[in-house]
Amino acid sequence: MFARLGRVVVHNPWKVIGAWLLIVIAVVASAPKLTSTTDQSEFLPSHYESIQAMQLQQQAFPQSAAPAAIIVFKRADNAPLNDENAAQVAAIATKLGDEKIKDVTGIQPAPPAENRLVQIAAVQMTKVTTAGDTTQSDAVESLRDALQAQLKDTDLKAGLTGQAAQMLDQTESSAKGMAIIGIATIVLILVLLLIIFRSPVIALLPIIVIGGVSSTVGGLIAMVSKAFDLKVDSSVNAILLVVLFGVGTDYILFLMFRYRERLRAGEDPKTAMVSAVTRVGEAITSAAGAVIIAFMALTLSTLGMFRALGPALAIAVAVALLAGLTLVPAIVSLLGTKVFWPSKAWQVEPKGARFAAVGAALGRRPGAFAVVSGGLLLALGVFAFGFNPTFDLSSGSTSDTSESAVYSKELLKGMPAGATQPSDVLLRSEGGALTAAQLTDYRAALAGVSGVGQVSEPHPSSDGVVAEFQVTLSSAPESDAALDTVRGPLRDTAHAAAPAGATAVVGGITSVFVDFQDAMNHDYSVVFPVAAILIMIVLALLLRSMVAPWYLMASVFLGFAATLGAAVLVFQHFQGNSGLIFTLPVIMYLFVVALGTDYNILMVARLREEACEGRDPRQAAALGVHHTGPTIAAAGVILAGTFASMMLAGNNVLSQMGFAISVGIAIAAFVMAMFFTPAVTALLGHRAWWPGHGDRGAKQSNASSPSDDYYAPRRDDAQQVPAASGGSNRGWSNTGEWRR
């Protein structure tokens, strides 16, 4: 199949390029706009309590909502506010309201805090109704400008915080981060490919190809999201950019390494490209298939953000694969050997002394390599048990110097930490209006809960059947302490203290985070095993073996644990953070498990190829590391480097993601695929390929026990191969054998 594909593409390059241009134009012209959402509640199913509370609140209080933003006032000299200052705050709030700022529906000042260090004004805004709606963000920008004008000639300083302000600052921070990530990714790919191939043409090839098809990816994702009503998280754009360029470059790299190998074997350029697609096509497709399966397994998630993220990334990988097997060969077949210009190194068989020496050492002592590499994975994996999820997305996604972050800290000087986003308790009677005595007793019960700072006066609905209590927690709404309060005593008390014939639900962002944790625990028990089973099926079909998939997946999950352990070690132990971003294990699963399988597939496919040539298991392992080691090393450096660029974005969320994924890919490439997998395969020997025994090839005469001299580095005369000669490839190969 891949031989036929290679011939069609290579002999019809302009038709292939034209078809791609038509596809890109058609998708871009017809695709809707891809929008994302930052509202975490949109990702949860309706059976969770936080969503039930939100729905009840919308039904009973359609005009009521928690403040979209909070203006925090303080004295410029940090002294306590006096009565004159309090009057100034009230006057400023009134003037801001009179300015009729678009989409600001009300500004209500509150009394100064008990210690009089701060005073707040709650800001109501037009409710956001659709993903990507900038109504509140625009209102925050306008309100900030108007506020600074009103503060002139006063002793006061003030700024906006709260959900709408935090979202605006987060969006601006993400935009800057995306620009940094994009530039760093492209520069890194250019530099590394220039070092590897010493050709600006090859260095620019992935940038041009992937940049050209990226609009197609965005359009397809938008189509799928609209068709299936998927909620795309705002962080998907950063991940998508890195996945598309990182994975796409890897696939192009695999193809170009094999293309160069066939040219050195004496094939003419077109034949060499057909051979490259034929030989590497199955491995690349199987690797991409494993990645796509891992991503699509997220559709089983109960969380909407992951159900949308999985197909989005699967589409990106599928398009990168198709481009790598069709568009790239078409372009290269037109360029021929000019793709390596101005370097002539492609004509020379490199000695590859380092990888030859490593391969020879592994071939002699596979047990030692298996123990050391496996022991390293286990040692790092121990720290994974200390993982603590954190939901502090707002502060972690913005700079500490942003206005919302600065005034959120100022707010804590006089108000409970939960004041920015209070929890909501809604009490509903099934037998008529609630009485004043019932509401008073219920409020007192809520106020007595440990971890609760304040409870507002009850706000009854027009018919008196539903009453709303705003509960301000003592801890920040995204903190572990706040989650523990809502999950335990607050929900328990809210349910138990409800009057006879009444029920209660607890809502608000902290309640949403509590339900997120429960949903993710469910997903861990469903998504991970399903993905593992499906990937093992792909491996079994590729390798025609029932044994190899088991130890390959075991190595991948060891790599997953080691990666999580490394992140815990760096961020929780060394930096002293309370925890890691709660989505990190799933994000790591996407890349470490899926892409770790990628490199394992590439290595084990080469091991089988060498075994089919008649090498014994240790010979095959030595040659596999020698030949495939450079490809995996180059791909691993590029992919890990592109993800590491996320650490330059300037916020803790992307820093944790970038670190964990880049370390995970480095572990997958340089520990699992390079050492652990070939070492275990060599130890298992013929049994690794049971029952298909795909290691049996035509050249069994070479399978006799080798002498110890085999494992010593071989002499390589680095024969010059004439460009496009199609001539003989006779001479000493880098395996030390005479080519006929």
Side-chain angles (χ1 to χ4, degrees), residues 242-261:
V242 178
V243 167
L244 195 55
F245 276 94
V247 174
T249 302
D250 267 9
Y251 293 158
I252 293 172
L253 199 64
F254 296 160
L255 185 72
M256 293 307 296
F257 264 103
R258 190 56 74 100
Y259 176 59
R260 188 175 64 178
E261 182 180 317

Side-chain angles (χ1 to χ4, degrees), residues 339-362:
V339 74
F340 299 104
W341 180 89
S343 173
K344 301 295 184 181
W346 65 270
Q347 298 177 350
V348 180
E349 184 76 34
K351 295 181 179 180
R354 293 180 182 176
F355 286 98
V358 171
L362 188 147

Side-chain angles (χ1 to χ4, degrees), residues 129 199 224 319 327 423 491 619 645 738:
T129 56
S199 166
V224 171
V319 172
L327 185 56
S423 296
R491 280 187 173 177
Q619 284 180 323
S645 68
W738 177 259

Side-chain angles (χ1 to χ4, degrees), residues 37 40 45 92 95 104 127 129 174 210 227 247 301 405 416 500 545 593 663:
T37 180
Q40 303 297 328
I92 290 173
K95 290 177 182 178
V104 175
K127 187 176 179 181
T129 56
S174 296
I210 298 169
V247 174
S301 171
S545 167
V593 173
V663 167

